[in-house]
Amino acid sequence: MLSYLRRSLVISAIFIVLLGLAYPLLGTGLAQLAFSHQANGSIGPDGSTLIGQQWKGPEWFQGRPSATIDAAGKPSPYDAMASGAANLGPRSRLLEKEVARQAARLRREGITPTNELVTSSASGLDPDISPRSAYAQVSAVARARRLPVAEVRRLVASHIHPAQLGFLGAPYVNVLDLNMALAALK
Amino acid sequence: MPTDRREPTSPPPAAAAAAGAGAGAGAGAGAGRGVAQARSLFDREILVEALKGSVAKLDPRVQVRNPVMFVVLVGSVVTLVEAIAHPGVFSWSITIWLFLTVLFANFAEAMAEGRGKAQADTLRRTRSETEARRLDEDGTEHRIAASSLQRGDLVVCEGGDLIPSDGEIVEGIASVDESAITGESAPVIRESGGDRSAVTGGTKVLSDRIVVRITAEPGHTFLDRMIALVEGANRQRTPNEIALTILLAALTIVFLPVVVVLEPFARYSGATVSVVVLVSLLVCLIPTTIGALLSAIGIAGMDRLVQHNVLAMSGRAVEAAGDVQTLLLDKTGTITLGNRMASRFVPADGVDEEELARAAQLASLADETPEGRSIVVLAKERFAIRERDLGEEHQFVPFSANTRMSGIDIAGRQIRKGAAESVSRWVAEQGGTVPGGLGQVVESISRSGSTPLVVADGRRVLGVIELKDVVKQGIRERFDQLRAVGIRTVMITGDNPLTAAAIAQEAGVDDYLAEATPEAKMDLIRSEQQGGKLVAMTGDGTNDAPALAQADVGVAMNTGTMAAKEAGNMVDLDSNPTKLIDVVEVGKQLLITRGALTTFSIANDVAKYFAIIPALFVATYPQLSALNIMHLHGPKDAVLSAVIFNALVIVALIPLALRGVRWRPSTAASLLRRNVFIYGVGGVLIPFVFIKLIDLLLVAVHAY
Amino acid sequence: MDYFLTILVLVALLALAWRYLGSYMAAVYDGRVSWLGWLERPVYRLLGVDPEAEQSWQRYAGSLIVFSGVAIVVTYGILRLQGVLPFDPEHLGAVSPALSWNTAVSFVTNTNWQNYAGGSTMSYLSQMSALAVQQFVSASVGIAVAIALVRGFSRKGSATIGNFWVDLVRGVFYILLPIAFLSGIFFVGQGAVQTLAGPAVIHDHLTGFTQTIPRGPVAFMEAIKQLGTNGGGFFNANGAHPFENPTGLTNLFSVALLLCIPVGLTYTFGKMVGNIRQGVAVLMAMTIIFGVWLGFTSYAESQPNPAVAAAHVVSQKGGNLEGKEARFGALPSALYGVASTQTSTGSADSAYDSYTPMGGFGLMTGMMLGEVSPGGVGSGLYTILLFALITVFIGGLMIGRTPEYLGKKIQAREVKLAALGVLVMPLVVLVITGIAVSIHAGRAGPLNAGPHGFSEILYAFTSQANNNGSAFAGLSGNTPFYNVMGGIAMLLGRFAIIVPVLALAGTLAAKNVVPAGLGTFRTDTALFTGLLIGVIVVVGGLTFFPAVSLGPIVEQLSHGRLF
């Protein structure tokens, strides 16, 4: 019994050093050397392409609704410090209200609601939307920016990432990339 | 008198008669004889007793031994309290049916026990108080009650006496009627010394006088043990039964919270569920079908063995029989007919075959053994030699252990027949010479599995009679079946390896042990067991006792010695070694029946859920009625139908439990596929049909 | 079509893992691999362990229990002291006692149930040195138990079942560490973060939006989180967070990673008992259950979300996207969900709480089957072997022989231990859920109303008792009640199964082997696989049918009704 205890303590210490320090630190060093951009969060001048942002106003392509809440429990969309989903069940009254609200907002802005533009993402930080949802916003954005619809449409088309390796996941448009390109159009 | 069956010449009449009785009994023996009175499944007498028994068994102290049915009993008490507190047709119906469920289970057990009891009664009648004639040290006889006989006492029995207790003959020879125990009406010879000295209390001496040393303590005679066994008194649960009971208890334990937590679950969902319905659900879910029938299956298994005229000393042995992977079978009487038959005359050089036949017939005229008679018959068939009236002066020379020959002295001729070496020695003594070719003939006959018997007339060797071992009809197919179910057969014989190999080949056994000594048998059993196999064997002699004890299933012949009977864990009253195969079958059936009913019991739960769950929550969640795929009439109907089905299925399966699931020799895979289909798939589907039918019936009688 | 291709690639990857990782693991535990001897030997010296000396099952279990106890205490200590320990760039301070207890138990039992919001509760040190360490260690403990049980089957008349310390160390060094390290590099390359630099504050020049983005040593923890079927992520959003699971490729890779050891162990099993087909029969049972549940859940998630339909959104192409990430889509998320719940991993790339009723049913019942398809690392194999024993017992009876599995006779003691191991989980789930729905502290937990709220509670304890760790995350779990009860559920779900399994290993190892013959119940056939599936599904179904009928089933049947 005592020998079990002694061994348990010794092996725990060994594991903390090897697995809890050496493994992640060695990994960090290697990651920083080989993939510095990714390892630090794929962050550019206007944010991380992997972490979604709240885009306000009709002149920007918008991402998906985000259900993140701040420390006080108040809605705080795209709060990266509190990633998470709405967690409402499919027969939830609250969900139905929220989806209806999003749909009404989109319609007000002249956008035909699409599936993912009315549903919140799992992380609350989804940086992407589907090509359909991007196309759905083309005319509204073009109107707000007084740009030819065709040009905005072309812009969207050029920013579609096909599914990885052609079959993994879904084709998507990175909203930050698209909006940066949109800003550059002027 | 020699009893060694290896002797090439015929065994003495008494032993032959005993062996013949065994061999003749065959596989179907036992039906309608002796202890094993075949009764119809629902014999009126047993039925009445069983009905009484099922009420007597309601005693909670009895019930608690069966955890599954105990839960049902407790449940029925709970619903009874509910029914009294809130009377209603529904709660009373449920209470009654739960109560009936318990009664049905008791009834099943009582039925199985009743069949044993009826057999025990037959036995008990033969044990009726007898007087014993105790022989005291001073040589005087005292009449005392048989029950006061002590081990070691000497008693005298004469023609017409019942032997008062088990014992060993120390003096004399007698023919004994053992039909009270074996059901076999032909008397058997019992004599002092050797392997046939044991007598059983309750059997009757027909002629002559014997002195018996009592070997049993009062109340522990073979007959007493037999009665206790068939009655199922002090029945010990067998290992597999214990394992299954544990599984059933575990299932019961897990269903308890499954049902109990439904109350808080329902309350959280805004529903209320009645205690009566929860108890009903619990009873329907726990494996009541197998729980109710489990002990009946075990008792009935023993009972089926008794019907084969085999007494198992423990249920453990019956179970082990199903697992046997190696069968050790004695050649004589099991694989071959007990008697060898003359099949050919092989004359020596310069001797006419007919002359040989004539001499052989003459030498065998007085030989009443089957072998001797077969020689006479063969001579008649081959050369139409009639049995002559021996007008001339003649004298028969009987078989003796010293000379190992028999024959006749007639008209100055001395004709002898016997084992090659004995006759050769005898001829040499007479001053004759043995022809050179004889050895070859003898060996070639041995090699083919037969026994050579040399015939000589004075100094002349006339030739050889071939006594063929006749392999029993159908035995090969039997072994093929055994092989198909993975059982290896090993033939045990005293024959030399050549003969043994030939017979083994003909009979289709997997292996043989030639020139078997008790030690060699023992070693064989040990080595098989070391390889993880279970071994079954039969034996009768005292020198078989160690091997019988070592074997996992040791079947002692009832004709055998007390030592053998004590060592084995089964006794075959017919003394028919082929029985081993039947014993294996009964063992398998026992396990299959348990497995099949367990599967059936659990599979039934599916339908019961579909009956009860929608009914349970229909008030709060009417949408759950989508699960009511049987379209049962109403929630109360649904619950009651399930409970009624659950109770009736026990009764419906009693015959199956008593008779056992049919077992046909086939590979494990096909057996499994068949049983899974019938009891698994069938077990899922059948209750849907019957619950619906019961529901329709309830609607028809306007129960609600 | 893409989805089928995804599954095809997954199957191909797993086939490779089965064959090569499986035989490699057999070699590791047979002591035939020694390329890390230089690292291994000094450890044994420090421990004072003779790597050749084996233990009886009692000593093996004793070592395991004491070691796990110490691991809980150490983890608890680090969480409580994280405020004064280094690597705390966000100055998060000590974790509360109840939460520390729940979390320590959670990671030591391979559950990784998280009642905390990852990135904002745990310091980098806690994540690396307390949680990620346990992700290695608890996985290695699980494999060790499975291997000990397999040794029970493969040995004959043996008094010992191996050496716990050696199995523990070898599992970590030879299997988990190398694969996790390589996988970590891959995750970083795809975009997962791995830094000690603390949060980044960004200011978007386009809209003036500011955002504080937490970072940390994520990628290498992600690797062991999946590989060891742990599931505890660095961030609250777990595998849905772009820093943990940035691309479709990492999504598939994660699924492959969490399935590879449980699948490979079936090969290890077959190899160690000397008949690969035995492993195949078990693997097939796992695969068929997994396949059916995957098909069912995928179909459910390809259905529209009723709330979206109610908002008159014309096209719901893509299925139920509430709580799913755009880069994955509904179907690959369902794949991830099924893989995660059926391996006791519990990581999530989508919000399981927002799955359609039948999708959620698929996830929840996947766990209720006992985590055997293919189950957690080690735990999946040893649990399905318990089911196999029960299958053999019932099936074996039906052919008229005392049942035997791999030549070992299954008698009262084996049945007792196997039944205990199989039935502990449903007992714990039902009883604790029963308590939770009965008292105020429990009823306060759910976010959703009606049957879905019930599902949240039921899911929570199903997940914890199965050492899964996934959640219908609407439940507010960080309360004293849920922290304490969850801890109890996790401990029982882990050790009340491990101890009977080790006892079983001990009894089996001591037994003689019955040679197989024609009369033997073959356990390497399709018939056995079918029966095994039947027993698993029937036991799970019978114990949980009433409960799930009050949760997802009634929710599914409530067309047009809201709660």
Side-chain angles (χ1 to χ4, degrees):
Chain A
M1 188 65 196
L2 261 176
S3 75
Y4 296 165
L5 199 62
R6 192 182 61 76
R7 283 174 185 163
S8 299
L9 287 168
V10 171
I11 193 80
S12 295
I14 293 172
F15 281 152
I16 286 177
V17 171
L18 274 179
L19 309 173
L21 294 171
Y23 166 78
L25 296 183
L26 208 68
T28 307
L30 205 70
Q32 291 292 338
L33 275 178
F35 304 106
S36 163
H37 176 68
Q38 291 97 317
N40 287 312
S42 311
I43 292 173
D46 292 313
S48 166
T49 47
L50 288 178
I51 303 296
Q53 301 176 12
Q54 176 79 320
W55 299 92
K56 284 209 167 103
E59 65 271 31
W60 299 108
F61 281 97
Q62 292 166 30
R64 302 179 61 189
S66 163
T68 54
I69 46 176
D70 62 15
K74 294 223 174 67
S76 163
Y78 287 98
D79 185 342
M81 295 304 284
S83 62
N87 287 314
L88 291 172
R91 300 213 192 280
S92 159
R93 234 179 266 286
L94 292 173
L95 179 66
E96 201 195 42
K97 249 165 70 186
E98 178 59 24
V99 169
R101 196 175 68 81
Q102 295 289 357
R105 178 183 61 81
L106 289 169
R107 288 200 178 95
R108 262 202 315 280
E109 292 172 9
I111 300 168
T112 310
T114 62
N115 196 354
E116 81 251 76
L117 285 180
V118 296
T119 50
S120 64
S121 65
S123 60
L125 303 174
D126 197 338
D128 309 314
I129 52 176
S130 69
R132 281 169 55 83
S133 302
Y135 284 129
Q137 300 181 50
V138 164
S139 55
V141 171
R143 198 175 327 112
R145 291 195 169 249
R146 300 173 204 287
L147 285 169
V149 171
E151 194 180 352
V152 179
R153 183 173 288 276
R154 257 199 312 283
L155 191 71
V156 170
S158 67
H159 277 84
I160 295 176
H161 294 260
Q164 217 173 359
L165 306 180
F167 67 96
L168 287 168
Y172 62 91
V173 174
N174 186 287
V175 183
L176 177 60
D177 278 346
L178 180 62
N179 279 336
M180 279 164 65
L182 187 66
L185 272 183
K186 277 199 167 165
Chain B
M1 268 203 237
T3 51
D4 188 346
R5 291 205 186 126
R6 267 177 283 168
E7 201 59 38
T9 191
S10 2
R33 289 192 291 106
V35 285
Q37 292 195 354
R39 286 168 184 270
S40 88
L41 266 184
F42 291 97
D43 184 281
R44 173 187 289 267
E45 202 179 316
I46 296 176
L47 219 55
V48 173
E49 281 303 311
L51 282 175
K52 282 189 218 157
S54 43
V55 180
K57 281 173 187 286
L58 281 177
D59 184 339
R61 282 166 303 180
V62 178
Q63 287 294 323
V64 80
R65 297 208 326 246
N66 183 341
V68 179
M69 294 320 292
F70 186 68
V71 170
V72 181
L73 184 65
V74 172
S76 69
V77 172
V78 171
T79 54
L80 179 66
V81 173
E82 275 292 307
I84 292 169
H86 315 283
V89 181
F90 176 69
S91 51
W92 276 109
S93 310
I94 293 285
T95 305
I96 291 167
W97 277 102
L98 292 186
F99 199 61
L100 281 175
T101 311
V102 180
L103 281 180
F104 290 160
N106 290 345
F107 178 69
E109 197 181 79
M111 277 287 290
E113 286 173 350
R115 295 167 62 76
K117 278 211 186 75
Q119 281 160 349
D121 288 342
T122 322
L123 285 173
R124 220 177 252 121
R125 255 170 254 143
T126 65
R127 202 182 51 174
S128 53
E129 199 53 27
T130 48
E131 278 200 330
R133 292 158 59 187
R134 194 175 69 195
L135 197 61
D136 291 346
E137 275 170 38
D138 55 4
T140 55
E141 278 183 25
H142 285 274
R143 289 193 173 265
I144 61 164
S147 56
S148 55
L149 279 175
Q150 294 301 316
R151 181 197 280 252
D153 285 349
L154 292 177
V155 295
V156 178
C157 297
E158 280 179 316
D161 287 350
L162 275 180
I163 297 174
S165 183
D166 299 350
E168 206 124 13
I169 302 177
V170 292
E171 193 186 316
I173 175 167
S175 62
V176 179
D177 173 8
E178 294 192 336
S179 61
I181 288 178
T182 64
E184 180 59 56
S185 54
V188 293
I189 302 296
R190 296 291 179 199
E191 60 192 325
S192 63
D195 281 349
R196 311 203 176 271
S197 61
V199 288
T200 311
T203 56
K204 194 174 193 177
V205 177
L206 293 178
S207 66
D208 304 295
R209 174 180 186 275
I210 47 173
V211 178
V212 175
R213 180 187 290 118
I214 301 302
T215 52
E217 300 286 352
H220 289 90
T221 65
F222 185 67
L223 200 58
D224 291 319
R225 276 196 296 166
M226 238 170 97
I227 290 169
L229 278 169
V230 294
E231 258 186 347
N234 312 321
R235 200 176 72 89
Q236 299 286 317
R237 282 202 185 136
T238 56
N240 174 264
E241 202 179 337
I242 292 171
L244 186 54
T245 308
I246 289 172
L247 184 67
L248 298 182
L251 283 174
T252 308
I253 289 170
V254 86
F255 280 128
L256 208 61
V258 166
V259 172
V260 170
V261 298
L262 273 182
E263 206 277 330
F265 286 4
R267 211 153 15 88
Y268 181 88
S269 310
T272 48
V273 289
S274 83
V275 175
V276 175
V277 174
L278 284 182
V279 171
S280 306
L281 178 61
L282 177 63
V283 170
C284 285
L285 290 182
I286 61 176
T288 47
T289 314
I290 178 69
L293 297 173
L294 185 57
S295 64
I297 294 170
I299 299 168
M302 296 284 272
D303 185 60
R304 273 200 303 282
L305 261 192
V306 174
Q307 282 176 34
H308 280 96
N309 259 8
V310 175
L311 285 183
M313 297 303 161
S314 71
R316 189 184 282 261
V318 184
E319 249 176 43
D323 289 353
V324 163
Q325 279 164 298
T326 306
L327 274 186
L328 305 190
L329 297 163
D330 269 327
K331 183 196 80 174
T332 311
T334 310
I335 294 169
T336 62
L337 293 173
N339 318 308
R340 281 161 286 211
M341 309 287 279
S343 64
R344 196 156 64 106
F345 296 112
V346 186
D349 287 342
V351 180
D352 181 36
E353 191 182 344
E354 189 168 345
E355 188 189 354
L356 170 62
R358 262 175 213 290
Q361 193 191 40
L362 274 176
S364 307
L365 279 178
D367 187 348
E368 285 301 317
T369 62
E371 282 95 338
R373 275 187 305 232
S374 77
I375 294 172
V376 175
V377 169
L378 184 69
K380 193 157 66 182
E381 279 172 359
R382 298 272 291 120
F383 301 104
I385 306 169
R386 302 225 138 262
E387 291 179 45
R388 286 159 297 179
D389 184 19
L390 299 174
E392 295 143 273
E393 188 177 322
H394 65 271
Q395 197 188 350
F396 291 111
V397 179
F399 179 88
S400 87
N402 273 336
T403 61
R404 315 214 312 166
M405 295 185 301
S406 64
I408 187 170
D409 292 347
I410 183 169
R413 293 166 72 191
Q414 288 184 302
I415 304 176
R416 295 289 184 274
K417 67 173 203 290
E421 48 178 311
S422 317
V423 175
S424 300
R425 200 180 327 115
W426 182 76
V427 168
E429 279 165 15
Q430 307 283 314
T433 53
V434 179
L438 186 73
Q440 236 177 342
V441 174
V442 166
E443 203 198 312
S444 86
I445 290 177
S446 296
R447 197 192 300 274
S448 71
S450 302
T451 309
L453 214 55
V454 177
V455 181
D457 183 354
R459 295 191 287 181
R460 265 179 80 215
V461 173
L462 295 179
V464 186
I465 310 168
E466 180 177 352
L467 288 181
K468 210 170 154 70
D469 247 323
V470 183
V471 172
K472 280 186 180 173
Q473 263 197 334
I475 199 86
R476 204 191 167 89
E477 288 70 33
R478 209 86 201 252
F479 291 149
D480 287 344
Q481 291 175 353
L482 288 174
R483 196 169 304 114
V485 301
I487 297 174
R488 206 166 75 93
T489 45
V490 181
M491 181 181 83
I492 307 290
T493 173
D495 291 336
N496 63 57
L498 286 179
T499 314
I503 296 175
Q505 166 79 29
E506 189 181 344
V509 293
D510 296 306
D511 202 356
Y512 61 88
L513 180 67
E515 287 170 351
T517 58
E519 295 75 38
K521 270 196 209 181
M522 194 71 176
D523 290 344
L524 178 63
I525 294 175
R526 285 229 180 88
S527 78
E528 290 284 311
Q529 285 174 335
Q530 239 135 48
K533 292 183 172 173
L534 257 61
V535 182
M537 72 166 285
T538 57
D540 52 4
T542 300
N543 55 19
D544 283 334
L548 279 172
Q550 178 72 31
D552 302 280
V553 177
V555 182
M557 299 296 103
N558 191 43
T559 52
T561 59
M562 234 358 131
K565 285 200 240 177
E566 301 265 327
N569 41 22
M570 291 187 197
V571 175
D572 178 14
L573 301 174
D574 293 334
S575 304
N576 168 13
T578 323
K579 276 298 182 50
L580 214 44
I581 298 170
D582 299 319
V583 171
V584 168
E585 222 173 284
V586 171
K588 286 198 178 295
Q589 248 192 339
L590 183 70
L591 296 184
I592 293 175
T593 310
R594 279 189 202 140
L597 290 185
T598 305
T599 308
F600 186 79
S601 195
I602 297 171
N604 273 197
D605 284 1
V606 176
K608 294 174 192 163
Y609 260 142
F610 279 98
I612 296 181
I613 291 295
L616 205 53
F617 303 116
V618 75
T620 324
Y621 293 131
Q623 56 268 53
L624 276 180
S625 62
L627 296 179
N628 183 5
I629 52 180
M630 283 174 275
H631 297 289
L632 301 178
H633 184 244
K636 287 178 175 179
D637 253 335
V639 175
L640 187 58
S641 302
V643 168
I644 293 177
F645 171 79
N646 191 54
L648 289 182
V649 78
I650 295 174
V651 179
L653 290 174
I654 288 177
L656 184 73
L658 296 186
R659 224 185 286 122
V661 170
R662 227 170 96 224
W663 179 75
R664 270 175 313 183
S666 54
T667 61
S670 67
L671 202 60
L672 184 62
R673 209 171 298 124
R674 179 169 167 270
N675 286 330
V676 166
F677 181 76
I678 297 176
Y679 298 99
V681 179
V684 171
L685 298 179
I686 285 169
F688 279 103
V689 176
F690 282 93
I691 291 177
K692 177 70 186 168
L693 282 179
I694 295 170
D695 176 66
L696 289 177
L697 216 66
L698 288 177
V699 174
V701 302
H702 300 294
Y704 298 102
Chain C
M1 201 53 226
D2 287 353
Y3 190 43
F4 284 110
L5 204 55
T6 307
I7 291 171
L8 217 64
V9 170
L10 176 66
V11 169
L13 287 174
L14 290 176
L16 289 174
W18 179 73
R19 175 62 188 80
Y20 295 104
L21 180 58
S23 70
Y24 174 71
M25 288 192 287
V28 166
Y29 289 102
D30 280 344
R32 286 182 277 118
V33 178
S34 58
W35 60 279
L36 285 173
W38 55 272
L39 184 61
E40 199 185 349
R41 276 187 297 270
V43 173
Y44 297 143
R45 259 201 305 281
L46 283 173
L47 285 179
V49 164
D50 171 8
E52 300 302 317
E54 296 218 331
Q55 297 172 308
S56 65
W57 82 261
Q58 290 94 338
R59 288 181 182 278
Y60 200 104
S63 307
L64 187 152
I65 297 289
V66 172
F67 171 71
S68 299
V70 167
I72 291 175
V73 173
V74 169
T75 308
Y76 180 87
I78 294 176
L79 298 186
R80 295 287 295 137
L81 295 176
Q82 73 172 11
V84 296
L85 292 170
F87 295 120
D88 183 14
E90 296 170 50
H91 306 290
L92 292 166
V95 181
S96 80
L99 184 57
S100 297
W101 144 261
N102 185 283
T103 307
V105 169
S106 170
F107 279 75
V108 170
T109 57
N110 198 253
T111 311
N112 290 215
W113 173 269
Q114 294 166 297
N115 272 341
Y116 59 90
S120 53
T121 312
M122 299 296 168
S123 72
Y124 289 180
L125 184 83
S126 297
Q127 301 266 25
M128 295 189 302
S129 311
L131 307 185
V133 168
Q134 290 311 320
Q135 293 187 327
F136 278 100
V137 170
S138 67
S140 186
V141 166
I143 306 176
V145 174
I147 294 295
L149 180 60
V150 174
R151 287 192 188 117
F153 283 111
S154 65
R155 291 179 178 189
K156 192 172 151 179
S158 166
T160 59
I161 56 170
N163 185 316
F164 171 71
W165 306 105
V166 175
D167 290 343
L168 173 71
V169 168
R170 291 185 75 87
V172 169
F173 285 4
Y174 285 99
I175 298 167
L176 299 171
L177 198 51
I179 301 178
F181 195 78
L182 295 176
S183 306
I185 297 171
F186 177 77
F187 272 108
V188 179
Q190 284 291 306
V193 296
Q194 180 71 27
T195 174
L196 299 173
V201 178
I202 61 123
H203 184 80
D204 187 340
H205 301 95
L206 304 174
T207 58
F209 180 78
T210 55
Q211 198 177 28
T212 307
I213 300 177
R215 301 180 295 182
V218 176
F220 282 78
M221 182 175 177
E222 188 70 10
I224 186 60
K225 153 190 148 182
Q226 305 288 15
L227 179 66
T229 63
N230 292 289
F234 193 95
F235 299 107
N236 187 46
N238 205 297
H241 198 290
F243 280 170
E244 285 196 25
N245 187 7
T247 62
L249 186 57
T250 53
N251 200 51
L252 174 66
F253 184 69
S254 297
V255 172
L257 212 50
L258 58 88
L259 286 167
C260 70
I261 291 180
V263 164
L265 275 174
T266 62
Y267 187 93
T268 311
F269 165 63
K271 179 125 182 149
M272 288 178 83
V273 301
N275 180 359
I276 300 295
R277 287 173 56 103
Q278 299 286 356
V280 175
V282 170
L283 176 67
M284 280 304 127
M286 293 172 166
T287 308
I288 290 169
I289 294 178
F290 186 90
V292 170
W293 257 254
L294 178 62
F296 183 84
T297 311
S298 300
Y299 174 77
E301 286 315 292
S302 70
Q303 298 304 301
N305 187 310
V308 177
H312 306 293
V313 173
V314 182
S315 163
Q316 278 222 55
K317 202 155 167 272
N320 174 21
L321 290 180
E322 171 63 27
K324 297 207 175 60
E325 296 283 294
R327 63 189 178 284
F328 304 139
L331 292 178
S333 296
L335 170 64
Y336 191 110
V338 170
S340 164
T341 46
Q342 303 211 356
T343 51
S344 94
T345 307
S347 55
D349 77 343
S350 47
Y352 297 157
D353 214 348
S354 298
Y355 271 38
T356 60
M358 283 298 103
F361 173 87
L363 302 181
M364 196 191 296
T365 52
M367 296 186 289
M368 285 168 172
L369 296 183
E371 295 289 18
V372 293
S373 49
V377 286
S379 65
L381 182 65
Y382 65 66
T383 311
I384 203 168
L385 289 180
L386 296 181
F387 276 107
L389 284 182
I390 291 182
T391 307
V392 161
F393 183 74
I394 297 175
L397 281 182
M398 281 197 286
I399 59 163
R401 278 268 288 267
T402 298
E404 64 212 37
Y405 187 46
L406 301 168
K408 304 282 189 174
K409 276 211 154 74
I410 309 307
Q411 287 158 317
R413 185 173 161 82
E414 290 75 41
V415 170
K416 194 192 298 174
L417 293 169
L420 185 65
V422 165
L423 298 178
V424 150
M425 183 276 289
L427 264 169
V428 171
V429 172
L430 291 171
V431 171
I432 298 188
T433 307
I435 295 171
V437 297
S438 302
I439 65 174
H440 179 74
R443 298 166 78 106
L447 167 74
N448 286 274
H452 199 77
F454 177 73
S455 296
E456 285 181 340
I457 301 176
L458 180 63
Y459 193 106
F461 291 111
T462 305
S463 166
Q464 293 181 81
N466 276 295
N467 300 138
N468 182 282
S470 69
F472 274 5
L475 187 83
S476 309
N478 190 12
T479 65
F481 173 78
Y482 280 103
N483 276 328
V484 171
M485 292 311 265
I488 293 171
M490 290 186 279
L491 278 180
L492 287 173
R494 178 79 165 176
F495 297 106
I497 296 172
I498 281 184
V499 174
V501 166
L502 288 176
L504 200 55
T507 10
L508 290 172
K511 285 193 174 219
N512 203 346
V513 172
V514 182
L518 277 172
T520 310
F521 177 17
R522 295 266 307 265
T523 51
D524 55 356
T525 59
L527 184 60
F528 172 73
T529 298
L531 271 181
L532 179 58
I533 294 171
V535 168
I536 292 169
V537 172
V538 166
V539 168
L542 292 183
T543 43
F544 287 111
F545 183 73
V548 290
S549 69
L550 286 174
I553 291 181
V554 79
E555 197 184 352
Q556 169 67 21
L557 294 172
S558 304
H559 301 287
R561 210 177 131 184
L562 296 176
F563 297 95

